[in-house]
Amino acid sequence: MVHHKEFETAGKEDGLQVWRIEKMNIVPVPKALQGSFYEGDAYIVLYTRERSYYLHSWLGEEATQDERGAAAIFMMQLDDHLGGSPTQFTEFQNQESRTFLSYFKRGIQYKKGGVASGFKQVVTNEANQKRLLHVKGRRNIKAKEVDMTWDSFNTDDCFIIVLGEKIFHWSGSNCNRFERLKTTELAIDIKDNELRGRGKIEMIDEGSEPEEVIKELGPKPDLPSSTSEDKHTDVKNYKDASLHVFSDASGTMKTTVVADKNPFQQNLLSMDECYILDNGANKKIFVWKGKNASPDERKAARTAADKFIKEKNYDPNTQIQILAAGAETMLFKQFFFNWLDKDETTGPTKPFITGRIAKVDQIPFDASKLHETAAMAAQHSMVDDGSGKVQIWRVEGKGKVLMDPSTHGQFFGGDCYLVLYSYNTGGREKHIIYTWQGKKCSRDELGASAILTIALDDSMGGVATQVRVTQGQEPPHFVSMFKGKFLVIHLGGTSREGGQSEPGSKRLFHIRQSSTKATRAVEVEPTASALNTNDVFVLKTPESLYLWKGKGQTGEEMDAARYVASLLGGAVTEVEEGQEPAPFWASLGGKKEYQTSKSLQMAVRAPRLFTCSNKTGRLIAEEVPGEFTQGDLLPDDVMILDTGAQVFVWIGKEANETEKTGSTKIVQDYLESDPSGRKGIPITTVKQGLEPRIFTGWFHAWDSKFWQQDFEKLLKQRLD
């Protein structure tokens, strides 16, 4: 097995590692520049989580054949080094997989040039750099470096002009305000990472360009509208696939058809063989490696895929996924009829852990004991076991106030906090600064939290890792730091005029364990319609303290509920769903309908959210990467929420008439393009502001007032 010095650190810790191919060698990319890719280069990207590995090669449009070949070689060597267990992907510029895009929350940048042009990947603070970035997308954000000329602009999109330490966010006269919001986040990312927080961002609208911009670009001419780059993909191409087995039994690699039409039966896959799932008409090829297949066949997976693509005369940029048995992706599973994971019958899937160890005992997540168990910490994506030192400050005015350790783990949704975590690894002290921002925090607090984070990092010599955390999307390690306490988020705030806001006389807390095994307790409005059969709730009234147990609750959620009850004080009355006493309903304003769908209890696959458009007369669907939230439902969109047993069409208030009237056709096209061949799936159309409980129940701590906020003000808050 070929050994490279960079392999020594590969996959040792959870998180993202990126290398660039330089002169037939691999060189690590600094953390601050991960997400920026030179168009003339090739990269290797490794994401490690819970002892599972996701290995990608990324090829720029201008990458040389030598660089492409080197990337393939390093992929095979690193796969071998990691025991053949990584799920492998080939990525091409502008054709990246959802999995790849989900690693870069604020989007990816395409930069001109590459190694051959002498461009080095280093964190810069140069005052003379000049770049123009064309930003596309609202969820899967991509920014392409283009020529610094007015010929690159149009009236429909957003652009970022970088002139030294000045960052100009330019908005076309017809651009969408939600795209402006995402472009702002990318501009902040450039400032925070590439410029180490030293830059200044200025918002400019088309026609109001400052002198600095005019000096660089000249007077603004009349600009054209955008030309659509969306490419038509026939639904039939997306849906159709065939399954092939490949073998070296005859001394040469031979491929044989197993099934020429999907959906496939799962039992067609033998652990003794390797297979190619051909969806090449949609520019996708999957290689599945049985765990008992010969070592030569397993190692030849990439070679077999490349040979197959060439023989079929497919596009050279056809994406390849290489999967070990037990680590199948959702894209692969969708071609099979009723795929069941290992040991699965009717309950939720247990995580299948890949790695070089033959057998790994799955340890259930228990936030109250997480800091005691190193194996649990490793399985649940931790930098350590959470036993380090924690200091928390609440943002007040332009300063910060140190919080008493007895309150650690408790946050107010109207506030911002700085959380400093210090820990030792390898004899060295390391630091993480989490900047936690509540959904209801003020503009002043948002701005102050960003400034105070930089100041705290600077006071420590700039050695801390900075993590901006939005309420509801806290990473597992953040949840683990509170020494047996659970994460509790209260309504209200503590730094408003007049001091701390007073809690209501009746308080209801929604407790749920997320797909990342993080258990949160979020205070919601005390009404019966907020209940959910899959979760646990704690209700505090002047007279009583109830712990309501939904039928689908878990032990971890019960532990968190008892902790919340201890914070609220009083004698606890545990109430089983369906056996509620009359005073319980009276405290919630009377009995009302709430989320009682058993599909949530019995879900065997994670729900998927898509944004859809048929503006051009064809179906274009873009999946929301990562764990979705209510904030992903934008008012000018039509969305599809696929829960497996049911499909919802969500229509935003600002969606155009074509989308509104064609929404039924959109979801029918979506289901017809489903490779698993599902039939008779219920379709429910819901409208923004009128969402039923069977829809809102898929979102944690749904806020009925969410869209009442002014997004233009929110845009400006992000800059402060």
Side-chain angles (χ1 to χ4, degrees), residues 450-475:
I451 294 171
L452 290 170
T453 298
I454 294 172
L456 180 58
D457 188 17
D458 286 346
S459 72
M460 301 167 63
V463 298
T465 298
Q466 298 181 27
V467 182
R468 186 172 296 158
V469 177
T470 302
Q471 178 184 334
Q473 296 181 317
E474 297 82 5

Side-chain angles (χ1 to χ4, degrees), residues 397-417:
K398 296 182 179 180
K400 62 183 191 295
V401 176
L402 186 66
M403 303 298 292
D404 189 289
S406 65
T407 67
H408 285 187
Q410 297 186 59
F411 298 85
F412 284 82
D415 289 334
C416 292
Y417 297 80

Side-chain angles (χ1 to χ4, degrees), residues 20-301:
R20 184 167 76 156
I21 308 296
E22 296 187 9
K23 299 178 180 179
M24 302 304 288
N25 198 7
I26 54 173
V27 178
V29 175
K31 291 280 187 185
L33 297 181
Q34 291 179 0
S36 295
F37 299 91
Y38 283 101
E39 296 179 333
D41 287 336
Y43 294 78
I44 302 296
V45 177
L46 175 65
Y47 181 72
T48 305
R49 180 177 178 182
E50 301 174 13
R51 299 188 186 183
S52 293
Y53 308 113
Y54 302 87
L55 182 60
H56 307 252
S57 62
W58 185 93
L59 305 176
E61 290 178 346
E62 305 298 327
T64 66
Q65 282 302 119
D66 287 345
E67 289 169 330
R68 288 171 174 248
I73 291 170
F74 282 120
M75 285 278 283
M76 289 188 283
Q77 291 177 354
L78 187 50
D79 176 65
D80 195 22
H81 177 76
L82 295 172
S85 65
T87 299
Q88 299 180 51
F89 304 75
T90 57
E91 310 285 355
F92 301 96
Q93 183 179 340
N94 283 314
Q95 300 175 40
E96 295 84 1
S97 67
R98 171 181 176 264
T99 301
F100 184 86
L101 293 172
S102 71
Y103 305 147
F104 308 101
K105 301 302 181 185
R106 293 189 180 175
I108 57 178
Q109 296 183 50
Y110 302 138
K111 294 184 175 181
K112 288 185 175 181
V115 172
S117 306
F119 287 91
K120 297 180 179 179
Q121 294 233 119
V122 294
V123 179
T124 181
N125 215 359
E126 296 178 2
N128 60 353
Q129 64 165 321
K130 296 179 180 180
R131 288 191 294 138
L132 176 62
L133 297 172
H134 183 187
V135 184
K136 298 286 286 184
R138 290 184 289 174
R139 293 179 180 82
N140 297 335
I141 310 300
K142 298 178 183 179
K144 178 179 173 62
E145 185 173 354
V146 293
D147 292 337
M148 183 73 79
T149 168
W150 282 117
D151 291 339
S152 300
F153 286 77
N154 65 69
T155 60
D156 297 317
D157 294 329
C158 293
F159 294 77
I160 295 175
I161 306 167
V162 181
L163 300 177
E165 293 186 355
K166 275 289 196 70
I167 303 170
F168 297 95
H169 174 329
W170 186 94
S171 300
S173 55
N174 298 324
C175 77
N176 181 282
R177 69 178 186 272
F178 300 107
E179 291 173 345
R180 292 180 64 185
L181 188 62
K182 290 297 183 180
T183 303
T184 300
E185 293 181 353
L186 182 58
I188 292 172
D189 190 63
I190 293 172
K191 172 188 171 184
D192 289 350
N193 292 315
E194 294 188 28
L195 299 180
R196 297 289 293 162
R198 312 303 180 196
K200 182 179 180 182
I201 300 172
E202 183 176 336
M203 298 281 294
I204 53 176
D205 293 324
E206 180 183 349
S208 61
E209 294 77 15
E211 186 176 340
E212 277 183 87
V213 172
I214 294 176
K215 183 178 179 181
E216 183 65 34
L217 292 169
K220 184 186 77 68
D222 291 336
L223 298 175
S225 58
S226 174
T227 56
S228 174
E229 296 180 359
D230 294 323
K231 297 178 180 179
H232 176 55
T233 299
D234 195 315
V235 169
K236 179 178 182 295
N237 291 345
Y238 176 77
K239 179 179 179 180
D240 288 354
S242 57
L243 187 64
H244 309 253
V245 62
F246 66 88
S247 170
D248 63 352
S250 62
T252 58
M253 201 62 66
K254 183 180 179 182
T255 303
T256 306
V257 176
V258 176
D260 60 3
K261 186 177 181 181
N262 58 298
F264 310 118
Q265 295 295 327
Q266 190 175 349
N267 59 13
L268 290 175
L269 300 175
S270 166
M271 287 293 181
D272 298 324
E273 304 288 355
C274 292
Y275 297 82
I276 291 176
L277 192 157
D278 176 13
N279 186 219
N282 193 36
K283 299 180 71 172
K284 287 181 175 62
I285 294 290
F286 303 83
V287 182
W288 185 88
K289 302 184 295 185
K291 66 180 181 180
N292 300 326
S294 75
D296 288 343
E297 288 175 352
R298 290 172 59 87
K299 290 180 181 179

